[in-house]
Amino acid sequence: MANIYTIYADHKNTIPALEFVEKMNMFLDKLVEQQKMNCYRVTRMKLGFRSMDMPEFRIDMEFDNMQQLDDAMSSVVTNENKIEDEHHGFNKYVELETIQHFLYRDFPDDLTKHRESLND
């Protein structure tokens, strides 16, 4: 079971898409190396195909639980192991007007199963 933090974003027009993804990977790889995150995936809209106006890139980051996500965010805020350098590089390439954040979880999960058993 996992918590999945998803970001949708476009890259700035002045930045090539490949450079944008390289900077994202540098930041996200560091979180994985520090065991602050389990894994991540970067995807790009294929041929602009979509049914609503959404940013071009999607980044899914997987965490065991909310504590691991909080620890990852804390490490960025406190600049643990100088991760702020990679985070700054990531932020300056994102078109801030397009960024959207979502938090998902596997469903059903252990909490759901526990809750359902209480209702029986």
Side-chain angles (χ1 to χ4, degrees):
M1 297 294 172
N3 288 279
I4 301 137
Y5 181 49
T6 298
I7 296 174
Y8 287 94
D10 288 327
H11 61 90
K12 290 186 177 177
N13 289 334
T14 57
I15 306 297
L18 286 175
E19 187 175 346
F20 173 68
V21 173
E22 286 172 7
K23 294 297 183 184
M24 283 192 287
N25 288 339
M26 286 174 61
F27 171 58
L28 299 170
D29 283 344
K30 195 144 192 170
L31 287 174
V32 172
E33 287 169 18
Q34 295 175 5
Q35 298 180 339
K36 303 291 183 185
M37 177 172 64
N38 296 343
C39 59
Y40 70 92
R41 183 176 184 178
V42 178
T43 56
R44 185 178 192 186
M45 184 107 20
K46 187 169 185 171
L47 302 173
F49 183 75
R50 55 187 171 244
S51 60
M52 63 176 59
D53 189 21
M54 297 287 292
E56 185 175 8
F57 284 90
R58 178 175 139 182
I59 305 137
D60 290 316
M61 297 166 277
E62 190 171 308
F63 300 88
D64 288 329
N65 49 47
M66 293 300 291
Q67 185 61 57
Q68 188 182 26
L69 174 58
D70 188 56
D71 291 346
M73 290 182 173
S74 294
S75 76
V76 173
V77 170
T78 61
N79 197 21
E80 183 179 351
N81 297 320
K82 300 189 185 235
I83 196 164
E84 182 57 30
D85 293 341
E86 282 81 5
H87 186 249
H88 177 71
F90 171 87
N91 276 340
K92 75 180 194 179
Y93 289 86
V94 172
E95 187 60 60
L96 294 178
E97 293 80 31
T98 67
I99 197 163
Q100 299 177 36
H101 306 263
F102 303 88
L103 184 59
Y104 292 92
R105 65 183 174 137
D106 288 328
F107 188 85
D109 59 6
D110 292 338
L111 295 173
T112 307
K113 291 173 188 171
H114 174 72
R115 188 170 159 188
E116 292 296 320
S117 70
L118 294 176
N119 292 331
D120 289 339

